[in-house]
Amino acid sequence: MIKEFPFDLPDTPYSLWVSGELNDHLPLPEDFRAEIVNGEITVSPAPVVGHNRIVYAIHFAFTEARVLNRQYPWIVDTGSGTDLVGVGDGYIPDLIVLDSQICAEAEAAQVALWVADQVELAVEVTSKSNAAQDRKARPGGRQTKWSGYARAEVPYYLLVDRDPKVARTTLYSVPDAATGAYLQEEVWEFGKPVVLPEHFGVTIPTDNWRPWGAGSDRADGR
């Protein structure tokens, strides 16, 4: 959700987010996180079980590939911020995939945030409270994470949409920075295995994925 706060900040929301100071100026509950989307502060509650199980399934697919092949070049990260330098946005993706060498170099340098050109694949799983900000931007409408990732030229964006009216996974590719759009997409309905591009070497089963509100998942959270 987009949140407006009735007080002045000492710097732009993006600058404060990058410096790690934004949350110090926001009266947010501890389990909420703040991001900068289209230059504006957005806040969202902590994810719920159904959301997290999907993130874990994607994480496991990459981890299994790495265990089976010691030369596997990809590594995953969850919960770290990604600075879209040049776009003026800062996201906390549900999961990102990076080259293992890039990851090792960043760890050695003790970086606090990833930057977009280090990210090969960004993953977002929608929630009822903020699904619109993850989806494809409408022509002439508010810019979203979809358009932000494209403007920052993140090569691949995997969107798992848990809306019961949608219930599908879309892989966006071929980002066009000038228009803030991905030019190609591939779609899988829930229950169909998600087959990522060959260089990832990963197929993700989705048999147990459920829309929000199904089973024990809450419909009002992430």
Side-chain angles (χ1 to χ4, degrees), residues 169 186-196 203-207:
T169 303
E186 187 171 2
V187 178
W188 300 268
E189 304 300 323
F190 278 15
K192 302 294 184 182
V194 173
V195 183
L196 294 182
T203 297
I204 305 166
T206 70
D207 306 74

Side-chain angles (χ1 to χ4, degrees), residues 126 135 160-169 187-191 209-212:
T126 67
R135 294 177 179 144
V160 182
D161 199 332
R162 298 182 64 229
D163 188 330
K165 297 178 181 178
V166 180
R168 64 172 177 253
T169 303
V187 178
W188 300 268
E189 304 300 323
F190 278 15
W209 292 10
R210 300 288 181 268
W212 61 59

Side-chain angles (χ1 to χ4, degrees), residues 7-58:
F7 50 82
D8 293 329
L9 295 172
D11 205 338
T12 66
Y14 169 71
S15 295
L16 292 171
W17 187 91
V18 169
S19 68
E21 301 175 65
L22 180 60
N23 282 15
D24 296 338
H25 299 278
L26 304 180
L28 295 179
E30 189 172 328
D31 60 344
F32 274 61
R33 66 182 186 182
E35 300 174 279
I36 308 301
V37 182
N38 196 30
E40 299 180 317
I41 301 170
T42 73
V43 297
S44 55
V48 294
V49 171
H51 177 285
N52 286 340
R53 295 305 294 172
I54 290 175
V55 175
Y56 173 77
I58 299 169

Side-chain angles (χ1 to χ4, degrees), residues 34 39 64-65 79 82 85 88 109 114 117 123 125-126 143 156 208 220:
E64 183 179 42
T82 299
V85 179
W114 301 109
D117 61 6
V123 179
V125 180
T126 67
Q143 297 297 291
Y156 296 94
N208 296 323
D220 59 343

